Amino acid sequence: IVEFMAEAIGQEKLDVTKLLAMIRRSGLLEADQLSAALDSINVDQSTADDLLQWLVDKECITPWHSKQLLKGRYKGFLLGKYRLVGKLGRGGMATVYLAQHRVLGSHAAIKVLSRERIDKSSMRERFLREARAAAQITHPNIVRVFDVDADGDRHYLVMEYVQGWSLQDLVDTEGVLSYRKAADFIRQAAQGLAHAHAGGLVHRDIKPANLLVEDGKTVKISDFGLA
């Protein structure tokens, strides 16, 4: 309740001047980009909501950025070579974001380990060791791990971004799958697991939420980074 009230108060007090200051501090836009954007809108006649909506419409920021800024949150959008553009999910050990490479423009899924977990040296060493092992696995039914890195005290994995739903979401939305489709998805998951086992890795958390379906037909096992 206290957090909700603090956010509500912050939103009431947010005006265009404060919003612009947060945007500059966030690093979301270069100075010349922000200046060019502001040249196209009458800032004096706009509210903070108006300005944010305009920036979203022009694809300068994402709707997720807008929501965070309205809550007074402007830190943490940049992570190494990447710009976080949305939140994909959250678990007990980490939060997963959709990210865009700041130079190449390509998308990736980035898993940021919680600070509480990484504060333990044993967990940090395990995280690095297992991330390196996961990065060696290449299989069409396993989400690729491309990199492991740290930005200050934020340790993260850079993974393949799979455009699709998890099996859990698919069943929750569409109901029970046909026998043929369910059997095919199980077959693909088993092939991915067999390849990982051959390389000495055990997943330990296979469940529908960790099986992603790309284009409605290809299963990719996720969460191997902490296997």
Side-chain angles (χ1 to χ4, degrees):
I1 295 175
V2 172
E3 183 179 354
F4 173 79
M5 291 178 64
E7 288 183 358
I9 292 172
Q11 290 183 34
E12 290 176 3
K13 293 182 178 179
L14 184 62
D15 57 24
V16 173
T17 301
K18 291 182 179 179
L19 174 60
L20 288 173
M22 286 197 299
I23 292 174
R24 291 188 179 97
R25 293 174 187 170
S26 72
L28 285 172
L29 297 174
E30 299 292 342
D32 57 341
Q33 290 179 306
L34 184 58
S35 296
L38 295 179
D39 287 341
S40 303
I41 186 173
N42 189 340
V43 176
D44 294 333
Q45 300 297 320
S46 302
T47 65
D49 285 334
D50 293 335
L51 178 55
L52 284 172
Q53 186 58 56
W54 189 87
L55 290 172
V56 169
D57 291 342
K58 294 297 181 181
E59 299 184 349
C60 297
I61 63 174
T62 68
W64 179 70
H65 292 145
S66 175
K67 291 179 181 178
Q68 299 307 304
L69 289 166
L70 275 175
K71 294 176 182 178
R73 300 171 184 168
Y74 59 89
K75 297 180 180 179
F77 292 130
L78 304 182
L79 191 62
K81 302 174 184 176
Y82 292 88
R83 176 179 184 249
L84 304 185
V85 297
K87 188 174 179 179
L88 297 176
R90 183 172 186 174
M93 299 182 67
T95 302
V96 182
Y97 298 93
L98 174 61
Q100 186 175 34
H101 196 284
R102 295 164 67 181
V103 177
L104 301 178
S106 56
H107 286 90
I110 288 188
K111 175 174 286 188
V112 182
L113 202 65
S114 68
R115 286 185 171 90
E116 293 77 13
R117 294 280 185 174
I118 209 63
D119 281 344
K120 300 178 181 179
S121 59
S122 59
M123 176 59 73
R124 183 166 57 251
E125 291 170 4
R126 174 183 161 189
F127 172 75
L128 294 173
R129 181 179 67 250
E130 294 175 354
R132 293 189 192 103
Q136 303 304 312
I137 298 179
T138 302
H139 191 274
N141 297 121
I142 295 178
V143 174
R144 286 290 312 276
V145 173
F146 297 125
D147 197 7
V148 58
D149 207 343
D151 188 348
D153 61 349
R154 302 173 77 193
H155 289 69
Y156 60 93
L157 288 174
V158 181
M159 305 177 295
E160 172 188 4
Y161 171 53
V162 178
Q163 291 184 301
W165 290 358
S166 71
L167 276 180
Q168 184 67 60
D169 292 333
L170 190 63
V171 173
D172 288 345
T173 303
E174 300 184 2
V176 178
L177 303 177
S178 69
Y179 293 123
R180 183 179 295 277
K181 182 173 285 188
D184 182 53
F185 287 165
I186 291 171
R187 174 188 62 80
Q188 293 184 57
Q191 288 178 331
L193 288 172
H195 182 79
H197 293 171
L201 279 184
V202 178
H203 191 287
R204 299 193 305 176
D205 194 22
I206 286 295
K207 57 187 179 183
N210 283 336
L211 298 175
L212 307 181
V213 183
E214 186 176 48
D215 299 327
K217 57 184 179 181
T218 303
V219 170
K220 288 181 176 285
I221 304 170
S222 67
D223 254 6
F224 252 111
L226 296 177

